[in-house]
Amino acid sequence: MTMELRHLRAFLAIAEEGTITRAATRLHTGQPALSRTLRQLETHLGVRLVDRSTHHLELTAAGRAFRDRAAAALAAVDTAFDPRSLAALPLRLGHPWAALGDLTLPLLRRWDEEHPGVPLELRRVDDRTAGLAQGKVDVALLRGELRSPDLVTELLLREERVAVVPADSDLAGRDKLALADLTPWPIALNTVAGTTTLDLWPAAARPRTVIEVTNTDEWLTAIAAGRAVGISTSATPRMHTHPAIAYRPLTDAPPVPLVLAWHRGAPAHPAIPDLIRLAHELVAER
């Protein structure tokens, strides 16, 4: 049987909704028809994509791997059929948090001046690759060590780490902090796109309590409410000021690399070299 876009859309709806019922409602189709479509796709691929052993469906390992491929394929199709792309092909720049810090606005303004015919779209995507893996963006600003063989990276700078603490805490009264100062507190960790892990601390001196969050807004709220402390980079205070949060230099944690990343081997957006050049210029001018 020939595979069609509806097979990809059906699979992604099931993956996102978690049940055949909700996915069928979303796609305005019946449950039996959606189940047949999923079986057709699995038969074509020769693998089971969805584990149906529970009421709440779970993706198999093959299903998780195929999800990114399916999302990227549909994103490419949507871009091809977008009538706006015939006038100008935008350069989609993703980031999971903080973008280029205080250089974000200068980057956007200089780009508009130098490249008026190529829109630069800044998109926050709460994902480890800021949407690169799903084809949602063309290039991304990412922090931390990246080891994916599928990505090409260009180092822009290394950002110092900062402690992020409630403004009314004793910690906020100090000029600088060390990792050990944060140990008695619960630590807020962004498990989706953050650069902080418990490996920063010695194994015998790690915080006992972890509050897991999935995006920057949840992370900031946990700290502002006095429920936790956090660790970030020097870009965060420049992008996220908050009256209930204080930022202090962290003296004994290594800096975090900030890179531009894009897909290896895939046709790259022709404006990526110009973005790299401009980003380097702004960093050098700081």
Side-chain angles (χ1 to χ4, degrees), residues 9 16 25 40 72 91 98 122-124 130 151 162 166 171 182-183 199 207 211 216 220 243 252-253 256 270 282 284:
R9 297 192 191 281
E16 292 169 8
T25 300
Q40 290 166 356
L91 178 59
L122 185 65
R123 301 184 180 183
R124 173 180 153 183
L151 299 181
V162 297
L171 296 177
L182 306 181
T183 302
D199 291 336
I211 295 179
T216 300
L220 289 169
D252 56 349
V256 177
L282 290 171

Side-chain angles (χ1 to χ4, degrees), residues 95-145:
H95 72 101
W97 51 275
L100 196 54
D102 60 344
L103 297 178
T104 302
L105 293 183
L107 175 70
L108 297 176
R109 288 170 177 163
R110 285 269 293 271
W111 183 271
D112 289 346
E113 292 173 0
E114 298 179 13
H115 304 277
V118 182
L120 178 60
E121 298 180 354
L122 185 65
R123 301 184 180 183
R124 173 180 153 183
V125 183
D126 293 317
D127 172 77
R128 180 64 62 184
T129 65
L132 272 178
Q134 296 84 16
K136 296 178 180 179
V137 299
D138 304 296
V139 60
L141 286 159
L142 303 176
R143 289 174 171 84
E145 299 294 340

Side-chain angles (χ1 to χ4, degrees), residues 144-151 153:
E145 299 294 340
L146 300 178
R147 297 181 175 85
S148 173
D150 298 328
L151 299 181
T153 60

Side-chain angles (χ1 to χ4, degrees), residues 233-252:
T233 78
S234 55
T236 300
R238 296 164 180 160
M239 292 292 288
H240 299 285
T241 58
H242 195 294
I245 286 177
Y247 297 94
R248 296 293 180 264
L250 192 60
T251 60
D252 56 349

